[in-house]
Amino acid sequence: MKKKILIADDEPTNRIILHRMLSCYGDCDVVVDGTEVIDAFVMALEENTPYDLICLDIMMPIMTGCEALKKIREIEHSMAINPVDRVSVIMITAVDKTNELIELTEDSCASYMMKPINKSTLIQRITDIGLLS
Ligand SMILES: [Mg+2]
């Protein structure tokens, strides 16, 4: 079955790149900041068509990717969503803050990768998560 993917990045070029890389793996929605991530995430849950994967840029205005990730996990917790059914998240960052990222991603069960976005790394991450066989 086709995956449902949410792409979040404030830079238009990165949104285009991610969309091109991922559109063959699923239906991709694209948003530009953390609040839009939450809106899209909640809407999908309410429509009973949750996302399989969120690619989340960390540096975004209004609400950062880190804040959005925390909020997503809070919402899933408040809705008593089974941990195995939580959405898979790949955090994407331009700056190397590996230690902080490892802590954040371990806490929130997310994966991460560095920019520039590299297709084989991205596909490897998605495979590691178990979304591609
Ligand atoms: Mg950004």
Side-chain angles (χ1 to χ4, degrees):
M1 203 177 131
K2 233 183 173 193
K3 302 292 178 196
K4 188 168 167 178
I5 302 168
L6 181 62
I7 294 165
D9 200 303
D10 59 319
E11 290 166 51
T13 312
N14 288 330
R15 293 197 293 271
I16 292 167
I17 290 169
L18 282 166
H19 191 270
R20 279 191 191 152
M21 287 178 178
L22 292 171
S23 54
C24 60
Y25 298 104
D27 293 323
C28 299
D29 293 334
V30 181
V31 294
V32 303
D33 68 56
T35 59
E36 291 190 5
V37 171
I38 301 303
D39 288 347
F41 173 74
V42 170
M43 197 191 302
L45 280 180
E46 285 173 353
E47 289 172 348
N48 224 5
T49 54
Y51 288 101
D52 299 293
L53 173 68
I54 301 177
C55 291
L56 196 51
D57 178 33
I58 290 186
M59 304 272 274
M60 291 189 292
I62 307 173
M63 184 192 278
T64 67
C66 298
E67 291 165 337
L69 174 61
K70 280 184 187 155
K71 187 80 187 154
I72 285 166
R73 295 310 186 212
E74 281 171 20
I75 291 167
E76 288 172 329
H77 184 73
S78 72
M79 294 179 74
I81 290 171
N82 191 315
V84 296
D85 294 328
R86 295 194 300 188
V87 63
S88 297
V89 177
I90 299 174
M91 307 295 286
I92 301 175
T93 180
V95 274
D96 190 353
K97 291 184 177 173
T98 309
N99 286 340
E100 284 169 51
L101 267 177
I102 288 171
E103 206 171 298
L104 170 82
T105 52
E106 278 183 353
D107 274 2
S108 303
C109 300
S111 181
Y112 72 91
M113 61 180 282
M114 306 290 298
K115 286 180 184 175
I117 298 156
N118 172 285
K119 185 167 184 179
S120 59
T121 307
L122 180 60
I123 300 312
Q124 186 59 53
R125 291 289 186 279
I126 298 172
T127 307
D128 291 345
I129 289 167
L131 288 177
L132 294 176
S133 46

